[in-house]
Amino acid sequence: MFTAKDFKSDQYVRFCPGCGDHAVVNSLQKAMAELGIAPHQTVVISGIGCSSRMPHYLSTYGFNTIHGRGAAIATGVKTSHPELTVWQMSGDGDCLAIGGNHFIHSLRRNVNLNIVLFNNQIYGLTKGQYSPTSKKGFVSKSSPYGTVERPFRPAELVFGARGTFFARALDVDIQTTVSSMVAAAKHKGAALVECLVNCIIFNNGAHGWIADKEHRADRMIVLEHGKPMIFGAERNKGLVLNGWNLKAVTIGENGITEKDILVHDAHCADDTLHKKLALMEGPELPIAMGVIRDVEEESYDEAVNRQIAEVQEKSKIHCFDDLVASCEKWEM
Amino acid sequence: MDTKTSITALDNVVVRFSGDSGDGMQLTGTLFSNLSAILGNEISTFPDFPAEIRAPQGTLGGVSGFQVHLGSSKVYTPGDQADVLVAMNPAALKVNAKSIKKMGVVIIDTDSFEKQDLEKAQFKTDNPFEELGLSDTVQIIPVPLTQLTKDSLADFGMDNKSVIRSKNMFALGVVCWLFNRPIDQAIHFLGNKFGKKPDLLKANVKVLTDGYNYGNNLHLNISTFVIDKSHSMPKGTYTSINGNKATAWGLIAAAEKAGLKLFLGSYPITPATDIMQELALRKDVGAMVVQVEDEISGVCTAIGAAFAGCLAATSTSGPGLSLKSEAIGLTTMAELPLVVIDVMRGGPSTGMPTKTEQTDLLQAIYGRNGESPIVVIAASSPADCFEFTYMASKIALEHMTPVILLSDTFLANGSSLWKLPKLADMPAITPHMVPAELKGTYNVAKRDENTKIRYWAIPGMEGFEHRNMGLERDNQTGSISTQPANHAIMTENRAQKIKNIIEVIPDVTVEGCADDAELLIVGWGSTKGHLMSAMTNLNAQGHKIALAHFNYIAPLPKNTADVLHKYPKVVVCELNTGQFATYLRSQVENVHLYQCNKVEGQPFNVSELEANFLEIINK
């Protein structure tokens, strides 16, 4: 049995005061304790950025590598040693800009990684440039007149890459963050948890619409597999299908009863509804949180090791000397 | 009636097979080389093919060649000019016209020398030999290969395309006759290749046999050849191996000797791809290969595997090495073992992907940001790619450093004889694992204070949890540090660790007239055979020349300065514009070096080297 303290390193946490990353470190340590996997069996890989400092604050094996390459390095760790639990910490710049190629391919291959994407819609460590998730028109040091770029929506990349797991959580919502991380770790295959993180210095309030405590319950919905999609401070709002689209309704109004509300099926192989849920935006619809997609498929690391074992089982060649003996040879 | 007018005994001979890239010249050449090797000859081969998989038929750009040098002694190179050329079409004849020895034998497929074939090869007349000035200087064996192959397979019920594709076997049959090679062994090889396709096997054997008999029944006034068995090779069991396969097998041997899993992260790139493909096939010995999304991922997956405790490697060529630079720097900082194989090709940029060059040397030694010394080793024959890959792995694992192994197109695709090793006879590999007593106090900065080698602890080991990184770390605590004095200490630790490797690498040996040479030839990597041949030839003429050939490039062997200072004249020969010479000038004080350079995408010719050396001697 472990507690969150067992996963704290001796390093002083150097995130800015008020940064959302503080909450995510705490959530991750709680999730690790809940999972009960020992620090020496756990590896945390990161690239570069504020979020990539994370390994230093954990008592596990850690590797703070180079910008954007976390997914590739984590793939090497996990594929060669599938018995280890491997986490990857990344940000919207590290993961979706410089590391975009490795990111989509680790999802496509379904490497059994638990990826936490800290999405604060800004480059924080380089002091405030727009990122691939910054909203169009966003003013930053590198976009003084507003960006003219269309942002990525991470969920679309995950589904486009045939990802098998997608969850979302808000930094300050510790409960959903921890449960999403635990579910990601238990998922066999590449699991992405998009953490909506506030950068208090360069992009304060980016997620303010849902971070606002007063209205949060009405503006976000925490999805749970097998449960009706109900939300709201008074738990009287729900989601229904209206033609091809999702619609928020109030139970008790216009003859709507709880029976009319959609029930979340995170295990459905077809990702159409998962995508609809993941892309919901206010003010008409709540932002979806929790585990949106969780579909079981053989992971890459498992398949690679299985194939090697199968070949070894059948082969007459077991070692280097056997290999040499098997080649066309002659005496001189 | 005896149809053979005479038999000439030769010490060595060069045969070149040349045709369209779809004519099967690589297979024909390989079979003939292996056949010769089994009969006791030394061999050295060089395939030379275009980047196009199937260039337009019959055109100059589509010519694919395979040259083999076989002999009874001292076969160091695939040879300069051919004694025998097999030209499957006029384009092949034209491309190779300058590479035929005086009075050499040219076998042509007369069925492919029709008017339209000559036009495709841009001949202006209907006499290509005269046009090339060869009419009086070569001996032609005209063979209607296409028709004879059709006749040979008339009863096989095969489609026309498959029949024509078999004509390379007819040519091989004729060549076997020309060299008095019994074809039983060739038939055995074909059995190995086509065993699973009995119809195809039968057809190939039939055409090969008919080709041999055709030669036997030719009433030609041409001498056939015999080449004596080699007596200069150490006794033992041999095979013929190309550089890429030898490289892949070197990794397999090293991983098993070290008791570690073998991991290769790679991305397809000419001419290195065969290393990945060979290892992908070798799951039987546990080799794990991941073919990833790009070159950067190739090296980064390997770094991940190294962090987790594997013998990890990545294979690439020049453009890929450029992409991997930052990650190799991470490995230098993280002090992890990693083998980076760079099979050099013609550059810069995409350059000439199927051609050979030694132009990545300075990139390998210096091509990273910051002070980031690493180890660079170069192989010098197809077979010794095995030995030097093994040594690269050993140094990486024992000294906790990335090692770049340089090979090139010439080594990768060429083959030479390889004396089969036993794993038990190979030097031990002892990875630099952390001692048990550091449990609980270990961090990423912990190292052996004498050798400066960092201790390796890998995930799964309880009590050794640590954080590694690309950031500078405190030399005691292993935590992130930007403290000025600490950075100087860490820079020195990393440099000293590499310098100390001088103690475990062998001195560079001097061959030839080591005591009294008037000229020392200096080379590195794949040019060894050519330099050795040139030296041997000139010494046989009474000159006094020595050769110092380098495999260990960074760090340089201990005796490098002494060797360079010992001789009145020193010439550095390399297939670039002078990179090793530049490096030597920076590492050894007061040296005057002549240079002999070639950047044509082709290996040296022995004759051009000899001319160059004589000029320097006579200066």
Side-chain angles (χ1 to χ4, degrees):
Chain A
M1 283 301 289
F2 297 98
T3 65
K5 223 179 136 189
D6 295 320
F7 291 91
K8 284 192 191 347
S9 75
D10 59 356
Q11 300 292 302
Y12 177 73
V13 180
R14 288 171 194 273
F15 297 126
C16 306
C19 173
D21 289 3
H22 286 284
V24 186
V25 184
N26 293 336
S27 295
L28 183 58
Q29 287 160 344
K30 282 192 174 129
M32 285 176 167
E34 193 176 322
L35 285 162
I37 297 160
H40 70 273
Q41 299 288 5
T42 305
V43 179
V44 184
I45 304 290
S46 66
I48 293 294
C50 297
S51 58
S52 289
R53 287 287 172 123
M54 204 61 74
H56 298 283
Y57 310 133
L58 300 162
S59 64
T60 63
Y61 278 90
F63 196 1
N64 173 191
T65 69
I66 45 177
H67 206 16
R69 316 303 168 202
I73 290 169
T75 296
V77 174
K78 183 66 189 177
T79 309
S80 65
H81 291 81
E83 73 281 5
L84 299 168
T85 295
V86 182
W87 295 83
Q88 184 203 336
M89 300 293 134
S90 192
D92 37 308
D94 189 63
C95 206
L96 306 182
I98 190 167
N101 200 25
H102 311 309
F103 174 64
I104 55 172
H105 286 281
S106 64
L107 292 168
R108 175 181 66 80
R109 292 191 187 98
N110 203 30
V111 186
N112 194 356
L113 304 174
N114 319 320
I115 311 164
V116 181
L117 168 61
F118 295 60
N119 185 0
N120 57 7
Q121 303 178 0
I122 190 86
Y123 283 84
L125 204 58
T126 49
K127 303 191 196 300
Q129 299 76 31
Y130 69 93
S131 90
T133 57
S134 299
K135 292 186 178 76
K136 195 170 179 179
F138 178 68
V139 174
S140 70
K141 284 181 185 160
S142 58
S143 57
Y145 303 103
T147 84
V148 295
E149 295 185 18
R150 300 155 73 221
F152 268 142
R153 295 185 286 192
E156 283 181 304
L157 285 179
V158 174
F159 297 138
R162 307 184 63 197
T164 53
F165 183 102
F166 179 77
R168 189 188 283 137
L170 184 67
D171 50 5
V172 291
D173 179 358
I174 305 288
Q175 195 187 342
T176 310
T177 308
V178 172
S179 64
S180 295
M181 285 173 169
V182 169
K186 288 184 175 166
H187 172 78
K188 209 195 306 166
L192 186 92
V193 180
E194 181 189 10
C195 249
L196 305 180
V197 171
N198 191 42
C199 174
I200 195 164
I201 306 293
F202 297 110
N203 198 9
N204 193 19
H207 308 295
W209 194 70
I210 45 169
D212 177 359
K213 258 190 174 168
E214 204 179 321
H215 299 106
R216 195 185 296 166
D218 292 324
R219 291 177 178 177
M220 69 181 218
I221 177 169
V222 180
L223 296 167
E224 280 183 79
H225 175 74
K227 302 242 173 97
M229 300 181 191
I230 292 176
F231 66 105
E234 293 165 28
R235 303 293 295 165
N236 65 342
K237 292 180 178 174
L239 295 174
V240 296
L241 266 184
N242 178 23
W244 287 102
N245 295 313
L246 290 165
K247 187 182 168 191
V249 293
T250 307
I251 298 164
E253 283 179 9
N254 301 322
I256 299 277
T257 68
E258 203 175 315
K259 278 187 184 159
D260 298 315
I261 305 298
L262 288 168
V263 173
H264 183 43
D265 180 5
H267 304 331
C268 177
D270 185 320
D271 64 10
T272 314
L273 191 57
H274 296 157
K275 191 172 163 189
K276 282 269 177 205
L277 289 165
L279 297 184
M280 288 192 301
E281 281 178 343
E284 289 84 12
L285 289 166
I287 309 285
M289 298 287 168
V291 178
I292 295 168
R293 179 173 176 77
D294 182 1
V295 174
E296 184 103 359
E297 254 191 72
E298 186 179 37
S299 70
Y300 175 76
D301 40 293
E302 205 172 52
V304 167
N305 285 281
R306 175 178 51 74
Q307 201 176 48
I308 289 173
E310 283 169 5
V311 172
Q312 286 183 319
E313 179 81 30
K314 283 185 207 147
S315 177
K316 285 179 191 142
I317 295 169
H318 301 294
C319 62
F320 177 73
D321 286 342
D322 290 350
L323 183 60
V324 166
S326 75
C327 64
E328 192 87 56
K329 56 188 180 294
W330 52 88
E331 298 296 321
M332 286 188 84
Chain B
M1 181 183 135
D2 184 9
T3 56
K4 284 181 187 171
T5 44
S6 63
I7 297 179
T8 310
L10 288 175
D11 276 347
N12 54 57
V13 69
V14 175
V15 186
R16 178 178 274 242
F17 298 88
S18 187
D20 258 331
S21 42
D23 275 342
M25 293 296 96
Q26 304 302 324
L27 173 65
T28 313
T30 307
L31 286 174
F32 184 67
S33 315
N34 288 354
L35 186 61
S36 303
I38 285 200
L39 294 170
N41 292 144
E42 294 177 26
I43 58 163
S44 171
T45 76
F46 182 53
D48 185 16
F49 44 79
E52 294 81 6
I53 302 301
R54 292 282 185 275
Q57 233 180 2
T59 59
L60 297 169
V63 174
S64 166
F66 186 100
Q67 183 158 310
V68 56
H69 182 186
L70 39 120
S72 52
S73 70
K74 300 192 173 90
V75 174
Y76 300 128
T77 75
D80 289 358
Q81 290 187 306
D83 296 276
V84 176
L85 171 72
V86 178
M88 300 297 276
N89 62 30
L93 178 69
K94 194 173 210 176
V95 166
N96 294 296
K98 285 190 181 139
S99 318
I100 311 165
K101 262 188 204 157
K102 203 163 182 208
M103 294 325 282
V105 175
V106 180
I107 300 170
I108 62 164
D109 175 13
T110 50
D111 294 331
S112 300
F113 275 68
E114 301 290 338
K115 194 168 186 302
Q116 72 271 21
D117 304 310
L118 293 167
E119 279 169 5
K120 272 190 212 162
Q122 295 166 19
F123 281 105
K124 294 183 183 72
T125 65
D126 56 2
N127 190 338
F129 286 92
E130 198 175 278
E131 215 176 310
L132 294 169
L134 294 172
S135 340
D136 301 326
T137 59
V138 297
Q139 312 177 71
I140 307 166
I141 305 184
V143 186
L145 278 176
T146 309
Q147 189 53 49
L148 289 168
T149 305
K150 281 183 184 169
D151 296 348
S152 171
L153 294 176
D155 300 333
F156 275 67
M158 290 162 69
D159 63 274
N160 199 38
K161 214 173 150 189
S162 306
V163 169
I164 290 173
R165 205 179 283 156
S166 307
K167 70 179 177 182
N168 61 334
M169 285 301 119
F170 204 98
L172 180 60
V174 176
V175 174
C176 284
W177 157 76
L178 191 64
F179 286 92
N180 290 283
R181 298 281 185 235
I183 56 171
D184 324 19
Q185 192 60 43
I187 291 171
H188 171 71
F189 283 143
L190 286 175
N192 288 351
K193 178 150 181 84
F194 296 117
K196 283 178 186 157
K197 298 173 185 162
D199 290 347
L200 201 55
L201 173 63
K202 250 167 98 182
N204 273 291
V205 170
K206 172 78 165 41
V207 178
L208 175 72
T209 313
D210 286 355
Y212 185 86
N213 291 336
Y214 176 84
N216 222 356
N217 296 326
L218 268 181
H219 296 257
L220 275 180
N221 199 15
I222 276 179
S223 166
T224 64
F225 306 104
V226 288
I227 296 131
D228 201 9
K229 284 184 181 187
S230 166
H231 299 291
S232 58
M233 300 292 284
K235 270 201 175 129
T237 310
Y238 284 81
T239 191
S240 158
I241 197 163
N242 69 44
N244 273 345
K245 190 168 173 178
T247 302
W249 286 25
L251 289 173
I252 292 170
E256 189 176 327
K257 193 78 175 185
L260 299 177
K261 265 190 210 174
L262 172 60
F263 182 99
L264 181 86
S266 194
Y267 185 81
I269 184 168
T270 302
T273 313
D274 286 342
I275 297 170
M276 169 171 74
Q277 290 178 176
E278 175 63 24
L279 286 175
L281 201 60
R282 294 270 70 98
K283 296 189 187 354
D284 45 13
V285 291
M288 181 176 282
V289 174
V290 300
Q291 181 187 313
V292 287
E293 59 275 12
D294 59 25
E295 293 282 356
I296 297 174
S297 188
V299 64
C300 285
T301 49
I303 292 170
F307 178 73
C310 291
L311 167 56
T314 184
S315 50
T316 191
S317 185
L321 186 65
S322 301
L323 285 164
K324 293 177 199 292
S325 294
E326 188 197 11
I328 297 171
L330 169 66
T331 323
T332 303
M333 195 59 148
E335 300 188 69
L336 287 168
L338 177 73
V339 179
V340 178
I341 296 151
D342 174 18
V343 186
M344 296 179 286
R345 66 189 212 184
S349 187
T350 309
M352 302 195 287
T354 61
K355 305 301 175 190
T356 200
E357 242 169 56
Q358 296 183 300
T359 41
D360 296 347
L361 181 74
L362 291 179
Q363 181 186 8
I365 301 172
Y366 298 118
R368 288 160 300 285
N369 65 305
E371 293 290 342
S372 50
I374 64 172
V375 179
V376 179
I377 299 176
S380 50
S381 78
D384 79 17
C385 284
F386 174 80
E387 177 192 341
F388 289 106
T389 307
Y390 185 91
M391 293 311 291
S393 309
K394 178 175 160 71
I395 289 173
L397 291 166
E398 295 183 344
H399 297 263
M400 297 293 282
T401 175
V403 178
I404 296 182
L405 177 85
L406 295 174
S407 171
D408 58 28
T409 306
F410 177 75
L411 298 180
N413 297 331
S415 40
S416 59
L417 289 177
W418 182 44
K419 190 164 182 279
L420 297 179
K422 281 215 165 17
L423 196 67
D425 301 333
M426 303 183 62
I429 299 181
T430 314
H432 201 248
M433 301 309 294
V434 64
E437 59 266 27
L438 285 183
K439 187 171 178 175
T441 58
Y442 175 80
N443 67 53
V444 77
K446 294 281 183 193
R447 64 187 65 245
D448 179 320
E449 281 309 324
N450 292 319
T451 61
K452 302 295 179 195
I453 305 170
R454 191 177 81 82
Y455 292 118
W456 198 14
I458 57 179
M461 292 170 66
E462 197 176 350
F464 294 92
E465 297 85 349
H466 66 278
R467 270 61 61 194
N468 206 332
M469 55 193 161
L471 291 155
E472 185 61 285
R473 71 287 325 277
D474 181 87
N475 72 88
Q476 295 300 315
T477 67
S479 302
I480 300 171
S481 168
T482 53
Q483 210 266 325
N486 176 70
H487 183 48
I489 291 170
M490 283 307 301
T491 302
E492 177 57 21
N493 279 345
R494 289 185 287 265
Q496 196 56 47
K497 179 181 76 178
I498 301 300
K499 280 183 200 151
N500 289 343
I501 294 171
I502 291 181
E503 303 301 329
V504 299
I505 59 172
D507 276 354
V508 64
T509 53
V510 181
E511 314 210 36
C513 303
D515 294 330
D516 55 352
E518 51 191 329
L519 174 68
L520 175 74
I521 306 166
V522 169
W524 65 276
S526 70
T527 54
K528 184 175 184 181
H530 299 89
L531 300 179
M532 195 77 158
S533 297
M535 179 192 75
T536 310
N537 294 348
L538 290 179
N539 284 348
Q541 292 166 26
H543 296 283
K544 288 196 176 301
I545 300 178
L547 169 67
H549 199 81
F550 287 79
N551 294 104
Y552 292 91
I553 308 286
L556 283 165
K558 233 187 224 170
N559 64 336
T560 302
D562 291 346
V563 169
L564 295 185
H565 287 141
K566 187 172 172 183
Y567 303 93
K569 287 177 180 172
V570 181
V571 57
V572 181
C573 306
E574 48 189 332
L575 298 172
N576 57 41
T577 56
Q579 299 190 16
F580 192 53
T582 302
Y583 174 63
L584 285 175
R585 287 182 190 115
S586 75
Q587 299 292 305
V588 182
E589 284 178 15
N590 297 323
V591 282
H592 176 76
L593 304 174
Y594 290 94
Q595 286 182 212
C596 171
N597 303 106
K598 178 174 179 177
V599 195
E600 297 176 5
Q602 292 292 328
F604 281 121
N605 283 326
V606 174
S607 52
E608 70 190 6
L609 287 171
E610 288 173 18
N612 205 297
F613 299 156
L614 287 176
E615 199 186 309
I616 295 171
I617 288 172
N618 295 328
K619 259 183 193 165

